[in-house]
Amino acid sequence: MAKWGEGDPRWIVEERPDAHNVNNWHWSEKDATEWSKKEIKRLLVDVSVCDDNIGAAYVTDIVSCEGEATINNRKKKIICFYEFEVRASWNGSMTGSNTVYEGELFIPNLSEEQSPEDLDIQISFKKDQQPCRELKELMRLKGSEKIRNKLSVFAENLRRDCAATLQVPTKDSTKASNGNKGKNVASNFKQQLNAVPSTPAAPTSAVGAKIHTQKLVMTVQFKTNAVELYKTLVEQPRISAWSRSDVKSNAQVNQEFAFFGGNVTGTYTQMEENSKIVMRWRQKTWPAAHYSTATLTFTQNEDGTELKLEQTGVPENSVEATKSGWHKYYWNPIKHTFGFGTDLVGVF
């Protein structure tokens, strides 16, 4: 038996329970079809495009994704095979209009043989839907570019993430990994120590201390129906799209959420589909353990949907900043991303 570092690596038996197909040197295969379908949906749903002079459009759902994908490992080389036909739906609105156009999107040849820039992406409107040439061109040009970029990410993730279990770590790679892990932990710890300020931080309000608060009330008009606006505020892919940040959200009663990298956190306390959302809501800069109660009420009218915010328990010295934040980080980005209005002052 060869020693470590000597001989043909195909015949070196690693220190592992099994002694066959060492390091998956010989051909091994994995079905990646279901993983691929979920990943394609995750990447494409809520891809959005916007042009202030035209309007906005976004992918609403994956209607079908037919095909298959497999990953093979041959002599420690990953080989991916996939072929899908993807059908999706999209919605769009012209700037200043309350009309929602519904369209279809078809990708007939998503495969490893096609580079992303060569993908055929067909944009059309649903049957019996009045077409809008400007929105179709917006999706055909800007939308298709974003979709191609997302599908390029799919190919990379398929090779890197889904194929990871096919390659068995070797003795040396395991040691190197463990060594690097130790170095990273030490490095991170050192960075945390260096990050400690040399001067004492300003004291924060103690838990249980009396905090003077005020009530915040505002009403905002959106050019969409209550169903679409409700989805935009509770569905995680849509929240990620308009907040442009990592989001943790499972919009169900008693479930926690975290937006904007954890700067806004809370818990959903009441959910009435398409009509009301009640949350325990706080900003990271507020006194420790202090939460406000934010109630969002949806009322559909002739011009779209009126959204009323009533927020009690806002710290007195944060009222103006909180009011500005709702407009700057919630309402205006939602209007800009999905074409639900034209009041875009302060989005960027």
Side-chain angles (χ1 to χ4, degrees):
M1 185 181 293
K3 295 181 180 180
W4 276 102
E6 299 179 4
D8 192 323
R10 286 173 292 182
W11 311 116
I12 298 174
V13 179
E14 297 267 5
E15 294 177 353
R16 292 167 44 229
D18 63 313
H20 70 283
N21 196 20
V22 178
N23 296 330
N24 279 340
W25 180 272
H26 305 293
W27 191 277
S28 56
E29 184 175 285
K30 177 179 179 179
D31 184 357
T33 301
E34 290 307 312
W35 183 94
S36 297
K37 290 181 178 180
K38 291 178 181 178
E39 184 69 358
I40 290 169
K41 182 173 182 176
R42 185 186 72 83
L43 290 169
L44 294 190
V45 170
D46 284 326
V47 166
S48 60
V49 290
C50 181
D51 186 312
D52 292 347
N53 296 320
I54 300 174
Y58 63 99
V59 178
T60 58
D61 195 13
I62 301 300
V63 177
S64 66
C65 185
E66 302 295 332
E68 59 183 4
T70 58
I71 306 171
N72 298 285
N73 182 24
R74 175 65 171 168
K75 296 184 178 181
K76 299 179 75 173
K77 292 182 179 179
I78 295 296
I79 307 169
C80 299
F81 299 100
Y82 59 90
E83 186 173 2
F84 291 100
E85 282 190 358
V86 181
R87 295 183 184 273
S89 57
W90 62 274
N91 286 357
S93 297
M94 297 290 289
T95 299
S97 171
N98 193 34
T99 302
V100 177
Y101 295 88
E102 297 181 347
E104 298 177 333
L105 181 155
F106 179 49
I107 306 171
N109 59 342
L110 176 58
S111 75
E112 81 284 349
E113 296 179 352
Q114 293 279 349
S115 61
E117 57 268 22
D118 294 331
L119 282 176
D120 179 22
I121 302 178
Q122 301 172 16
I123 306 295
S124 62
F125 287 95
K126 292 184 178 180
K127 293 180 180 179
D128 302 325
Q129 169 68 69
Q130 179 184 355
C132 177
R133 184 181 62 83
E134 293 87 349
L135 282 178
K136 182 178 179 179
E137 285 300 292
L138 181 64
M139 277 297 290
R140 188 180 69 83
L141 298 175
K142 291 187 177 181
S144 294
E145 181 182 358
K146 282 195 173 185
I147 289 168
R148 290 188 178 98
N149 290 339
K150 291 289 187 179
L151 293 176
S152 176
V153 173
F154 159 73
E156 295 172 4
N157 291 351
L158 177 65
R159 177 177 294 275
R160 183 187 66 238
D161 299 337
C162 189
T165 56
L166 276 180
Q167 290 188 321
V168 180
T170 65
K171 180 179 179 181
D172 292 337
S173 66
T174 302
K175 285 183 176 180
S177 176
N178 290 338
N180 290 335
K181 183 178 179 181
K183 290 179 182 179
N184 290 337
V185 171
S187 175
N188 292 339
F189 184 71
K190 184 176 181 180
Q191 291 176 7
Q192 290 177 11
L193 289 178
N194 291 337
V196 175
S198 56
T199 57
T204 58
S205 299
V207 176
K210 184 176 180 180
I211 299 171
H212 296 285
T213 64
Q214 290 186 9
K215 182 178 180 180
L216 178 63
V217 179
M218 66 175 71
T219 301
V220 187
Q221 184 72 25
F222 292 87
K223 292 185 179 296
T224 187
N225 57 55
V227 174
E228 289 298 317
L229 184 57
Y230 184 87
K231 288 181 179 179
T232 302
L233 285 163
V234 300
E235 293 184 357
Q236 182 164 321
R238 295 197 184 197
I239 298 172
S240 296
W242 58 256
S243 69
R244 294 173 173 82
S245 67
D246 292 332
V247 171
K248 172 190 172 185
S249 177
N250 180 13
Q252 296 181 14
V253 174
N254 297 327
Q255 294 295 312
E256 297 180 347
F257 62 83
F259 299 167
F260 311 108
N263 285 296
V264 170
T265 56
T267 305
Y268 296 104
T269 59
Q270 184 179 345
M271 308 286 292
E272 296 179 16
E273 190 172 6
N274 305 330
S275 61
K276 181 183 286 189
I277 301 171
V278 183
M279 305 168 282
R280 291 179 73 243
W281 189 101
R282 65 172 270 107
Q283 294 184 39
K284 191 175 183 179
T285 56
W286 286 5
H290 178 75
Y291 286 83
S292 67
T293 297
T295 302
L296 301 176
T297 305
F298 302 74
T299 303
Q300 192 158 324
N301 52 40
E302 292 182 358
D303 297 324
T305 302
E306 179 184 276
L307 181 65
K308 183 176 182 180
L309 166 69
E310 294 183 81
Q311 188 175 14
T312 59
V314 180
E316 200 172 55
N317 59 355
S318 299
V319 172
E320 289 304 317
T322 302
K323 181 179 179 180
S324 174
W326 281 107
H327 283 288
K328 186 175 181 179
Y329 299 111
Y330 280 75
W331 316 142
N332 287 347
I334 287 172
K335 290 180 178 182
H336 183 274
T337 302
F338 300 107
F340 291 169
T342 56
D343 180 16
L344 303 176
V345 177
V347 173
F348 300 112

